[in-house]
Amino acid sequence: MTGSTLSGNKVRKLEFSLADTLDKKCDTIFTSCGGIQSNHCKSTAVAARQLGLDCYLFLRMVERQSTESKGLRKPLNKLVGSQIIVVPQLQYKSGLKQMMEKISEKLKEQGSSAYLIEVGGSSYMGMCSYLAAFQEMIDQNVLENFDDIVVTVGSGGSASGIAIDNYLT
């Protein structure tokens, strides 16, 4: 239980990533996702606003999205003050990350410091959050009567943390 109705597993990843953001004295968050309706980006936008951080969302537009679905999450992201940058279908490590870094450098020249959260929050910090989640399940005796854990997978961060801690314990 993450204590949030926003988006479940994304909030747990953000707990660790945003703590790292604050620890590194950054004032701006950059993140991206698979599409314009991203729960990760929506959650990041709201959490960034709650912490007083600026937020840039790099949203991928795919051709098959209908006109209605293209704008479904955009108003909430804008409502909390996020900057939305619609980008083409780029792979994170071969195009999108470089774009984010370039914009981050421009902001740095203006006195801002950006923290980049990888696609879907699936980074080292995001994975660590699910190492902690698995330990919480052990501590709460949630796993006593079960042989399997079912995890939906997008970018893989939640599943990797749970799988690693399952192996280690």
Side-chain angles (χ1 to χ4, degrees):
M1 300 297 289
T2 60
S4 174
T5 56
L6 279 179
S7 71
N9 71 320
K10 303 303 181 183
V11 172
R12 182 176 289 277
K13 291 178 184 180
L14 284 171
E15 178 183 359
F16 280 64
S17 295
L18 293 175
D20 195 38
T21 301
L22 296 173
D23 187 54
K24 291 180 177 173
K25 309 275 190 261
C26 295
D27 58 11
T28 304
I29 296 290
F30 279 22
T31 197
S32 61
C33 65
I36 203 133
Q37 295 184 44
S38 166
N39 282 330
H40 165 68
C41 285
K42 174 187 69 158
S43 297
T44 302
V46 171
R49 178 55 48 219
Q50 289 173 331
L51 294 172
L53 302 170
D54 291 331
C55 184
Y56 285 71
L57 305 175
F58 294 77
L59 304 175
R60 293 183 185 145
M61 186 67 68
V62 293
E63 289 181 30
R64 68 179 185 272
Q65 289 176 317
S66 69
T67 306
E68 298 86 34
S69 70
K70 286 179 186 175
L72 189 60
R73 303 271 187 217
K74 194 171 181 177
L76 178 60
N77 295 334
K78 291 293 272 183
L79 185 65
V80 295
S82 295
Q83 299 294 318
I84 296 174
I85 300 170
V86 178
V87 297
Q89 281 294 101
L90 297 170
Q91 293 299 318
Y92 181 73
K93 295 199 179 202
S94 62
L96 186 54
K97 184 176 181 185
Q98 291 84 352
M99 180 186 297
M100 293 167 76
E101 288 170 343
K102 187 176 181 179
I103 295 171
S104 175
E105 283 300 315
K106 287 182 182 180
L107 288 177
K108 190 174 186 177
E109 292 169 6
Q110 299 170 8
S112 289
S113 179
Y115 184 96
L116 276 61
I117 298 176
E118 293 189 31
V119 175
S122 289
S123 62
Y124 175 75
M125 285 294 161
M127 188 261 317
C128 285
S129 72
Y130 275 88
L131 291 172
F134 194 85
Q135 192 58 52
E136 285 177 32
M137 289 188 282
I138 291 171
D139 294 345
Q140 296 168 7
N141 298 319
V142 173
L143 303 176
E144 282 186 357
N145 300 315
F146 297 96
D147 296 323
D148 297 303
I149 298 173
V150 178
V151 181
T152 58
V153 177
S155 52
S158 303
S160 65
I162 288 174
I164 290 168
D165 212 24
N166 182 52
Y167 175 78
L168 293 174
T169 57

